[in-house]
Amino acid sequence: MESWDGLTVTEQVLVRRAVADHSPRGSERHVTAVLRWAASPEEQPQRVPELAEAVLRLVAGGWLTVRRALDTRFVQEDSPEVTGTELEQLVADPQTWVWPWDEWSGLPALSLRATDEGRRRWESRAYAPEAQPTAHQVDLTEDEQRVWACAMEASGWLTGPFGILGDLPSGLEGEELRAYVALELAPLVRLVREGAIEVLHVAEPAAEGTVVPLEDLLDAFSDRGLRCDDRDDWGVGFTCILIQSLANALR
């Protein structure tokens, strides 16, 4: 498992999150998002054994380490590494993976951190010479530029009260609605297809978004409930983010 292609989908998700120094919590949602874009609360704990096995394999293979903060949930460079029996017990605990959005107290602060060698292996694939041009190297239409700016903005939203896309017309249903949404999504779809951005759905304020695959965008954006157009809350609905490199489309 010394190359990216030798990793399972779950292991690829964990390495990608370790490169960005993410907490293990929420990772089960990202694993599920690769396979199917929505993860129900009931499904999340079911992936814990798979995630635990993947972490132990990645640690043994030199891809990443698990770190613990001493007095804060933010993990510093000199934070101690979790190893041995303690690591085995922590990765087998559902609370390590399933994020309790309503509280932080009493939970150990952990971080997945790529090793220097793990980062080198990932970058050798992410920045391979045969990688296609990134979106900023090609011409964008005015509408595509709006989507690109939304993806660059940390607080940018596609839908909802602060989104760049307008509310769905109240009189449209069925195929007429889908035709309207297809036109609305055209600038977004090209950037997703090119691997420049990915779309996330956020169900509740402060929740971590789940990736919506390209083939599900039309169905998702045609669902008035998922769009949250009629809610006043900031931070729910659909947003998009830049993908660090085209190889990250492998997730």
Side-chain angles (χ1 to χ4, degrees):
M1 53 182 294
E2 293 185 357
S3 70
W4 179 263
D5 292 332
L7 301 182
T8 66
V9 169
T10 296
E11 289 165 347
Q12 288 180 357
V13 171
L14 293 173
V15 170
R16 186 183 179 198
R17 290 175 67 76
V19 167
D21 294 342
H22 275 297
S23 166
R25 291 195 180 91
S27 295
E28 84 296 327
R29 295 171 63 88
H30 286 258
V31 172
T32 304
V34 175
L35 305 175
R36 184 176 61 81
W37 73 273
S40 70
E42 293 76 19
E43 291 173 315
Q44 294 171 27
Q46 296 174 10
R47 295 208 176 275
V48 170
E50 177 186 1
L51 291 161
E53 180 182 356
V55 166
L56 296 178
R57 277 171 46 84
L58 291 168
V59 169
W63 284 85
L64 57 81
T65 60
V66 178
R67 302 276 172 172
R68 178 192 294 275
L70 299 177
D71 56 5
T72 173
R73 65 186 178 95
F74 297 103
V75 182
Q76 307 300 321
E77 284 296 329
D78 58 352
S79 298
E81 182 178 351
V82 182
T83 60
T85 302
E86 183 185 13
L87 176 62
E88 293 176 1
Q89 293 174 342
L90 276 175
V91 296
D93 185 347
Q95 288 199 60
T96 298
W97 301 101
V98 181
W99 198 307
W101 298 108
D102 57 344
E103 63 174 298
W104 287 96
S105 59
L107 298 174
L110 300 173
S111 175
L112 300 173
R113 178 168 301 151
T115 63
D116 290 344
E117 175 62 16
R119 186 179 296 273
R120 184 197 66 76
R121 295 173 188 170
W122 176 80
E123 289 180 347
S124 69
R125 178 60 182 271
Y127 303 107
E130 65 272 16
Q132 302 175 29
T134 56
H136 69 271
Q137 295 174 304
V138 299
D139 293 333
L140 300 179
T141 67
E142 183 176 340
D143 288 337
E144 288 168 343
Q145 288 175 358
R146 291 180 66 228
V147 173
W148 185 259
C150 179
M152 293 182 65
E153 173 58 54
S155 58
W157 287 87
L158 294 166
T159 63
F162 301 97
I164 65 172
L165 303 178
D167 296 355
L168 292 177
S170 58
L172 291 183
E173 298 294 342
E175 290 305 312
E176 289 186 349
L177 175 62
R178 291 175 64 82
Y180 176 93
V181 173
L183 288 175
E184 177 187 55
L185 292 184
L188 178 69
V189 165
R190 180 200 171 195
L191 294 174
V192 174
R193 182 179 292 115
E194 292 292 330
I197 68 172
E198 60 188 11
V199 177
L200 306 177
H201 179 254
V202 182
E204 296 293 338
E208 192 166 0
T210 54
V211 178
V212 185
L214 175 64
E215 61 271 18
D216 291 326
L217 287 177
L218 181 57
D219 287 339
F221 278 76
S222 298
D223 188 320
R224 297 180 188 274
L226 292 179
R227 290 175 67 111
C228 302
D229 287 339
D230 57 351
R231 292 181 56 170
D232 295 329
D233 295 331
W234 180 90
V236 293
F238 292 100
T239 183
C240 58
I241 60 174
L242 295 178
I243 295 177
Q244 186 174 350
S245 82
L246 293 177
N248 281 355
L250 295 170
R251 291 198 276 283

